[in-house]
């Protein structure tokens, strides 16, 4: 039986981020307006598998998805074992701009979910001229901790299974079972301490509550989309941002 090949092409690129060399994996499909996709905390670019396979979208958009360093097929930099991983706002913004430059994306549309939905707010405030539009999924200005983050990286508990359990509670009950469990599997595969390190940005360093006034949507349109079942960033949070 002949295999059914998807139109997605995956490659690696060498990037200097924060003065350190990184090997970053990315996938793309389609042609046209560049659409740069930003995955959630503790997972990777596989989340956008449906978008990359959507012929209606890829007809008009060059969909590009990259795994952040430490995530998916992107490795940590050399010497990673000498310090704990913590994502910062500055490093996150630098990474997105570096990927865009390396792939020669001309004023892409950036779409991000969760931490990706937060960082698009930073992009709108700091670099609106670099993007033709920004889309925040489950976008909020701040999230108060609602569980002990140490459970994501302990010697006496499985961080991957803990992450899967947390995420299972954020997936809508009407979501197809196959997609639900595939998504949970992606989170369960995260490296030790990576989910926790991402949440350093999401819950502490990336707080945008006092900075939203610096976003000029006339310089770059900003769209917010939220699902009602995700209690970590409900539609009311997006409404507050708006």
């Amino acid at each position: 039986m002949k295999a059914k090949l998807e139109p997605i092409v995956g490659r690696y690129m060498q990037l200097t981020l924060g003065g350190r060399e990184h090997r970053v994996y990315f996938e793309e499909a389609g042609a046209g307006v560049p659409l740069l996709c930003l995955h959630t905390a503790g997972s990777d670019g596989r989340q956008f598998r449906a978008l990359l396979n959507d012929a209606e979208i890829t007809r008009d958009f060059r969909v590009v998805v990259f795994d952040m360093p430490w995530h998916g097929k992107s490795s940590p930099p050399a010497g990673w074992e000498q310090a704990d991983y913590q994502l910062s706002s500055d490093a996150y913004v630098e990474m997105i701009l570096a990927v865009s430059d390396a792939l020669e994306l001309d004023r892409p549309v950036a779409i991000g979910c969760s931490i990706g939905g937060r960082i698009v707010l930073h992009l709108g405030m700091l670099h609106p001229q670099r993007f033709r539009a920004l889309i925040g999924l489950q976008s909020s200005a701040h999230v108060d901790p609602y569980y002990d983050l140490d459970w994501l990286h302990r010697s006496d508990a499985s961080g991957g299974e803990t992450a899967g359990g947390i995420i299972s509670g954020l997936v809508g009950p009407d979501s197809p079972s196959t997609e639900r469990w595939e998504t949970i599997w992606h989170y369960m595969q995260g490296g030790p301490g990576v989910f926790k390190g991402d949440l350093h940005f999401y819950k502490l360093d990336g707080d945008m509550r006092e900075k939203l006034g610096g976003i000029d949507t006339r310089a770059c349109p900003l769209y917010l989309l939220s699902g009602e079942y995700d209690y970590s960033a409900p539609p009311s949070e997006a409404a507050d941002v708006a």
Side-chain angles (χ1 to χ4, degrees):
M1 182 177 177
K2 188 176 181 180
K4 181 181 178 182
L5 298 179
E6 297 183 358
I8 304 170
V9 175
R11 299 180 68 182
Y12 284 92
M13 58 181 159
Q14 306 291 328
L15 279 182
T16 301
L17 302 171
R20 306 171 75 183
E21 295 302 313
H22 290 73
R23 187 168 183 253
V24 175
Y25 178 76
F26 71 98
E27 295 179 340
E28 63 176 304
V33 175
L35 177 63
L36 185 59
C37 304
L38 311 172
H39 63 75
T40 67
S43 190
D44 55 67
R46 287 176 293 178
Q47 293 178 326
F48 291 96
R49 58 200 181 279
L51 214 59
L52 286 159
N53 280 301
D54 192 317
E56 186 175 355
I57 292 174
T58 56
R59 183 180 61 239
D60 299 315
F61 292 88
R62 176 190 176 190
V63 183
V64 177
V65 183
F66 72 95
D67 292 346
M68 294 165 55
W70 302 76
H71 300 72
K73 290 187 176 182
S74 294
S75 298
W80 65 267
E81 71 281 3
Q82 299 174 20
D84 292 336
Y85 165 72
Q86 281 192 336
L87 180 64
S88 69
S89 304
D90 291 343
Y92 203 174
V93 170
E94 178 197 6
M95 178 196 318
I96 294 166
L97 298 183
V99 169
S100 182
D101 288 341
L103 299 179
E104 299 181 339
L105 306 183
D106 179 22
R107 294 183 62 241
V109 176
I111 180 171
C113 184
S114 189
I115 61 170
R118 173 75 57 75
I119 201 62
V120 299
L121 304 180
H122 291 256
L123 297 175
M125 179 181 68
L126 298 171
H127 301 283
Q129 74 284 356
R130 294 289 302 269
F131 301 90
R132 67 186 69 197
L134 298 165
I135 304 171
L137 310 176
Q138 304 307 127
S139 193
S140 66
H142 174 73
V143 173
D144 287 322
Y146 53 91
Y147 58 88
D148 183 357
L149 298 183
D150 286 340
W151 281 102
L152 292 169
H153 191 38
R154 289 172 55 133
S155 61
D156 60 344
S158 168
E161 291 186 337
T162 301
I166 292 169
I167 295 304
S168 70
L170 304 181
V171 180
D174 295 329
S175 299
S177 178
T178 300
E179 281 72 18
R180 173 190 180 90
W181 282 105
E182 184 178 355
T183 297
I184 292 173
W185 178 253
H186 297 167
Y187 281 95
M188 293 173 69
Q189 290 183 310
V194 173
F195 198 171
K196 181 181 178 181
D198 285 339
L199 294 180
H200 171 75
F201 159 76
Y202 195 50
K203 298 181 181 297
L204 299 171
D205 186 70
D207 190 339
M208 281 289 292
R209 285 176 293 182
E210 303 301 322
K211 303 175 183 178
L212 292 174
I215 299 175
D216 183 358
T217 54
R218 295 168 298 179
C220 180
L222 171 64
Y223 301 91
L224 304 174
L225 303 172
S226 292
E228 64 182 358
Y229 197 76
D230 184 349
Y231 57 83
S232 70
S236 59
E237 296 287 344
D240 287 345
V241 171

